[in-house]
Amino acid sequence: SCAGDSKRLERMEGSLRALIQLHVRRGTLQSTPWHLMQVPQLATDEAARKFSKGLPESSTKSTLTNQNLTRKQKRKLLKQEKIAAALEAKKNKGKRSKNISLVTSAEMAKRRKRLNRFDSEDAAAGDERWTAVVATADQDWDELIVRGTSTSLEKRYLRLTMAPDPATVRPVPVLRRALTHVKKRYDNEHDYAWACDQFKAIRQDLTVQHVNDEFAVGVYEEHARLALENDDLNEFNQCQTQLRKLYAHGVAGSAVEFTAYRILYYLHRDLIADLSRTLLQLSVDERREAAIAHALAVCESYSQGNFIKFFALHRASPHMSAFLVDHLVPSMRSAALRALCVAFKPSLPLDYVARALGFAHYEDASGGLRDYLNEKKCVVRDNVLMTKESALQSIAK
């Protein structure tokens, strides 16, 4: 009947609860292989009472010795039960019996009282500080505009970790004076590390104030030229990347000059995808500009291995392009030397070799051509390069 089924279901639930509590007291709740055990089927109320009392060993033997288990599994389960019981007995030696008890309302009141000691003004202040940190982390930096009030001409560059303080940010009129001050001091002292730090601080003040006008372009261009002069290509790349964005938004500047620099930089870094994209974006009029035309000619001669044309272009580099072409010289010079040693035998005058390899006259630079040929283990006699004897060594290099 339905009533009988309901009672059996209740007894089964009670048996399961008792079995779980038994393993909780023994500390074997996690180690018991429940997937190998069947739901206990209790036939009598006496069995249910045994489970509810949590009698050890004997009351659960019928479950552990289920007929569906193999003998090996039965022995393993019984051994685990004995080990767990021994560990529990040792743990509770000299202590009162540990029956599972519910937490009373009085105990809960004590716990709440202990927690209340943390609800002080300091804790509240800590919560406020944490809220401020979270608010800073969630700040939309693109929407934050700061109006600086500082009047300092010099300022160390520090990476921002929170919203900038207007008292430490310089407005544009002060930044104009600061730029003049930095350029003048650098011309006198040539301290690039200091000048670079000052330029980065000026750029940061421009960024937090969302200044994207011609003055900002001028700052980035000056810093890029300074970085090129001091062979700091990483800083140069940061500047030229920002300049490209400003030029794209229509801000006036030396766009042609820096487009040529960008082409040569991509060629040096072997950034073929970026170089191809830049070349495809050039208009016909831009390709006719002297600086860009020079950069394109350098790309062509370098890719073709035309060292005569390459070194001629190197000597005629406009603006500051020579600082970038310098990075292409070593590989082109090695290829040129190999070609000369193979094509001209048995010898070549050093005067011709100096011009072909992009050196000054060999008599003008004792530390130039001759040192380079010695490094490449070439044979030189009486101002003549013995190409036949040098071919093996130069090709090996």
Side-chain angles (χ1 to χ4, degrees):
S1 63
C2 293
D5 293 341
S6 178
K7 290 181 179 180
R8 283 194 295 273
L9 181 60
E10 290 178 0
R11 287 199 299 269
M12 185 184 301
E13 291 177 351
S15 302
L16 286 172
R17 282 194 295 270
L19 182 59
I20 292 172
Q21 290 175 358
L22 174 64
H23 285 282
V24 170
R25 289 196 295 272
R26 291 178 173 177
T28 59
L29 184 64
Q30 300 297 331
S31 61
T32 301
W34 297 100
H35 63 287
L36 299 177
M37 302 174 65
Q38 286 189 346
V39 178
Q41 303 292 333
L42 301 180
T44 62
D45 292 337
E46 182 65 22
R49 283 192 296 273
K50 286 183 180 181
F51 270 101
S52 63
K53 290 178 181 178
L55 296 177
E57 304 293 341
S58 60
S59 61
T60 60
K61 188 169 293 187
S62 62
T63 303
L64 295 176
T65 57
N66 192 291
Q67 293 181 358
N68 291 336
L69 300 180
T70 64
R71 290 184 179 181
K72 184 176 180 179
Q73 290 173 333
K74 292 176 184 178
R75 288 196 300 270
K76 185 176 180 180
L77 290 175
L78 288 172
K79 184 178 180 180
Q80 289 177 351
E81 288 283 335
K82 290 178 181 179
I83 293 174
L87 292 175
E88 186 67 21
K90 183 177 180 179
K91 180 179 178 181
N92 295 330
K93 186 177 181 180
K95 297 181 180 180
R96 64 181 180 178
S97 177
K98 293 179 67 178
N99 293 326
I100 294 179
S101 59
L102 299 175
V103 179
T104 62
S105 58
E107 179 65 21
M108 289 298 297
K110 291 181 181 179
R111 293 183 182 182
R112 283 194 295 270
K113 186 176 180 180
R114 288 196 297 269
L115 288 173
N116 287 337
R117 67 187 178 187
F118 296 104
D119 296 335
S120 61
E121 294 182 0
D122 292 340
D127 291 341
E128 292 178 1
R129 288 194 296 270
W130 173 250
T131 303
V133 171
V134 173
T136 302
D138 293 337
Q139 176 70 48
D140 187 353
W141 296 101
D142 291 335
E143 298 297 330
L144 179 65
I145 301 178
V146 177
R147 298 305 179 196
T149 59
S150 175
T151 58
S152 301
L153 293 182
E154 295 185 12
K155 172 186 171 182
R156 287 190 60 192
Y157 169 75
L158 296 173
R159 188 179 299 274
L160 290 177
T161 58
M162 60 181 65
D165 182 2
T168 64
V169 178
R170 297 166 291 183
V172 173
V174 177
L175 291 176
R176 293 183 184 274
R177 296 197 299 271
L179 177 61
T180 303
H181 169 72
V182 172
K183 292 167 62 178
K184 183 177 180 180
R185 180 171 169 179
Y186 175 77
D187 290 339
N188 294 330
E189 301 178 7
H190 299 284
D191 186 352
Y192 174 69
W194 173 85
C196 182
D197 185 75
Q198 294 300 312
F199 267 107
K200 292 173 72 173
I202 294 174
R203 286 162 45 190
Q204 185 182 71
D205 288 348
L206 291 172
T207 300
V208 299
Q209 296 179 100
H210 288 210
V211 179
N212 297 315
D213 56 8
E214 293 183 12
F215 173 66
V217 169
V219 170
Y220 280 102
E221 289 178 347
E222 289 293 338
H223 194 185
R225 293 187 183 103
L226 188 67
L228 274 182
E229 182 181 342
N230 290 272
D231 199 25
D232 187 356
L233 292 187
N234 289 331
E235 204 65 48
F236 164 78
N237 186 44
Q238 292 182 27
C239 293
Q240 71 91 10
T241 300
Q242 189 64 28
L243 283 171
R244 183 179 57 188
K245 297 178 182 178
L246 292 172
Y247 295 150
H249 284 85
V251 184
S254 303
V256 172
E257 176 188 352
F258 279 88
T259 299
Y261 294 158
R262 185 161 65 252
I263 293 172
L264 296 174
Y265 174 80
Y266 289 155
L267 180 62
H268 162 57
R269 293 295 194 187
D270 200 24
L271 301 174
I272 304 303
D274 292 329
L275 176 60
S276 301
R277 190 180 305 111
T278 301
L279 297 181
L280 289 173
Q281 292 172 351
L282 292 176
S283 64
V284 175
D285 292 336
E286 288 175 331
R287 289 174 179 271
R288 292 172 180 168
E289 295 287 346
I292 296 179
H294 173 269
L296 296 177
V298 170
C299 289
E300 182 181 12
S301 62
Y302 184 79
S303 61
Q304 294 176 351
N306 187 344
F307 55 89
I308 299 296
K309 182 179 180 180
F310 174 85
F311 288 115
L313 291 168
H314 184 206
R315 291 189 293 270
S317 297
H319 305 298
M320 301 182 72
S321 296
F323 290 102
L324 287 166
V325 180
D326 283 344
H327 291 277
L328 304 172
V329 167
S331 59
M332 179 59 79
R333 185 167 284 162
S334 295
L337 180 59
R338 289 195 296 269
L340 291 175
C341 289
V342 172
F344 296 92
K345 293 179 181 179
S347 63
L348 271 177
L350 285 187
D351 191 20
Y352 177 82
V353 175
R355 292 194 302 272
L357 298 185
F359 284 98
H361 192 276
Y362 69 95
E363 292 180 352
D364 298 335
S366 59
L369 175 61
R370 289 182 178 273
D371 287 346
Y372 178 76
L373 295 176
N374 289 334
E375 180 186 343
K376 296 295 183 180
K377 301 187 183 303
C378 294
V379 180
V380 178
R381 296 193 188 100
D382 298 329
N383 295 333
V384 174
L385 172 64
M386 311 306 294
T387 55
K388 185 175 182 179
E389 299 177 40
S390 305
L392 181 61
Q393 290 88 339
S394 62
I395 292 174
K397 292 293 183 180

